[in-house]
Amino acid sequence: MTKAAGAAPAGAGSPAPAGGGGRGLVSPQAVALLALLLTVAIWAGFALSARALSASTLLPADAALLRFGVPLVVLAPALWRRRRRLAMVRPGPAAKIICGAGVPFFLAAMYGGSLTSAAFVGAIVPGMVPLFVSALMVAGGRSAPRGTQSAGLLLIVAGVVALVWRYTAALDADVLLGAGTLLVASGLWALYTVGLREVDLDPVGSIGLLCLPSFAVIALLVMTGVLPTGLARAAGGDIVLFLVVQGLGVGLCAGLLYAFAIRRLGPERSSVVGSLSPVAVVLLAMPLLDESPTLPVLIGVPLITTGVALANRRPRSKVSPDA
C-alpha cells in the first residue's frame, strides 16, 4: 500500500482557520463524492454504448481503439513527463490495472452487452464489484465482511440471480452467456479498483498505465487480422458518438474521476458507485434505446442497488466518553 493511498484526507483533524474562513471550503470527501456521482453518469453512458454497439456500424475493436486512443492523444504531453514513474510501476499492480480495465475487460463488457441489455450491463458490471473487491481484500489478508456488509453482498447475489433466473428456466443460451461474460468483466474491474490503490501514480499516470499497453494490444490484434475492423466504413455519427462517450467520457473523464475517488475514499467505498449506476442505466435505456424494464430487471436492480449500498456501509467505531 502506498503512502498516498493510505493517507488521511488533507485537513483531517486540523483546526479550522480563525474567523470561520474555512466554512466555505469544500471538504476533500465532498469533492471525491462529486467525482463518484459524475462517474455514475459516465458509466451509465458506457453501459448504454455497450448495448448500442450491436446496432452500430462500428465493431468492438473500433470502439476499443477510440476508448484507449483518445486519452493518449489528449494526455500525450503529460504522460511524457511521467514516463519515468510509469516505468517504475511494479508488474503485479500494473497487471491488475491493464487486465482489469484494459482490453480483456472492454471486450468482455461489449460482448456481454451485445447478448443481453443495457440494464444487465449497468447492473451486473458495477453491481458485482463490491463482492469481488471484498473477496480480493479477504484474500489479501483483510478482515471478512460482517453485519450489514455481509447482508449487502447476499442481496447483490440475490439480485443477479433474479436477473438471470427467467433465462435459466427458459434455457436462453445467449443471455446466459452474456450474463456470464458480464460477471467476468465485473471481476476484472474489481482487479482494476484494487490495483489503482497499489500504485504510486496520480490519475493522469494511472490512465497512461492503462491506455498505453491496451491501445498497443488492440492495434496489434487489428493489424494482424485477429480482430476485424470497420472503422474506415463506419458512419460519421457513430464515430463521433463513441469518440465522445468511450474516448473522452469513459477513457478520459471517468478515468481521472474514478482514480481520484479511489485515492480519496479507498476501493471499498468507491465501489458504492455501483449502487446508483444500475438505476441510472435502466432509466436512460427507456428513452434512448427503447428498452422496457422486464420483471427480472424490476426485481433484480433494486436488490443489487440496496445490496451495494449496504455492502459499502462502514460500522461506526465506538468512542469512550473519556476519549
Side-chain angles (χ1 to χ4, degrees):
M1 192 75 67
T2 64
K3 180 178 179 182
S14 59
R23 292 180 181 176
L25 298 178
V26 180
S27 70
Q29 297 287 329
V31 174
L33 179 60
L34 177 61
L36 284 177
L37 293 176
L38 292 174
T39 306
V40 168
I42 296 172
W43 278 3
F46 171 81
L48 296 173
S49 66
R51 179 57 180 164
L53 182 62
S54 59
S56 168
T57 56
L58 292 173
L59 297 176
D62 304 326
L65 288 172
L66 295 174
R67 158 70 179 87
F68 299 113
V70 171
L72 292 179
V73 174
V74 175
L75 299 176
L79 294 176
W80 177 252
R81 292 193 297 268
R82 291 164 172 80
R83 62 190 183 279
R84 291 186 178 88
R85 301 200 70 175
L86 288 171
M88 293 171 59
V89 176
R90 291 177 292 122
K96 291 179 182 178
I97 291 175
I98 295 169
C99 294
V103 175
F105 165 80
F106 187 86
L107 294 180
M110 292 295 112
Y111 182 66
S114 69
L115 295 177
T116 55
S117 66
F120 269 61
V121 179
I124 293 178
V125 176
M128 285 292 290
V129 166
L131 183 64
F132 288 120
V133 168
S134 296
L136 291 172
M137 291 297 181
V138 172
R142 297 282 293 274
S143 59
R146 61 187 185 277
T148 56
Q149 296 174 344
S150 299
L153 297 180
L154 290 175
L155 282 178
I156 292 173
V157 174
V160 174
V161 171
L163 280 177
V164 303
W165 179 259
R166 165 186 171 186
Y167 304 99
T168 303
L171 291 177
D172 192 325
D174 286 344
V175 174
L176 292 178
L177 176 60
T181 307
L182 293 176
L183 285 173
V184 173
S186 181
L188 290 170
W189 189 264
L191 275 179
Y192 170 66
T193 301
V194 175
L196 279 177
R197 189 78 181 270
E198 298 175 351
V199 297
D200 189 17
L201 292 172
D202 63 0
V204 173
S206 299
I207 290 181
L209 179 61
L210 167 64
C211 291
L212 277 169
S214 298
F215 183 79
V217 168
I218 201 70
L220 180 63
L221 293 175
V222 169
M223 288 188 296
T224 56
V226 176
L227 289 178
T229 177
L231 194 59
R233 302 179 300 276
D238 290 340
I239 295 176
V240 171
L241 174 63
F242 278 83
L243 186 149
V244 172
V245 174
Q246 292 287 353
L248 295 177
V250 179
L252 186 61
C253 296
L256 291 172
L257 294 170
Y258 192 65
F260 171 78
I262 287 287
R263 302 296 289 263
R264 289 289 186 185
L265 303 177
E268 301 99 329
R269 291 180 64 188
S270 293
S271 60
V272 76
V273 114
S275 67
L276 299 176
S277 182
V279 177
V281 171
V282 171
L283 294 177
L284 290 174
M286 288 189 288
L288 296 180
L289 298 180
D290 199 25
E291 287 188 4
S292 299
T294 61
L295 182 60
V297 169
L298 293 176
I299 296 175
V301 168
L303 285 174
I304 293 174
T305 300
T306 306
V308 172
L310 291 177
N312 285 280
R313 289 188 62 185
R314 286 291 170 267
R316 294 182 179 179
S317 56
K318 296 182 179 179
V319 181
S320 63
D322 297 331

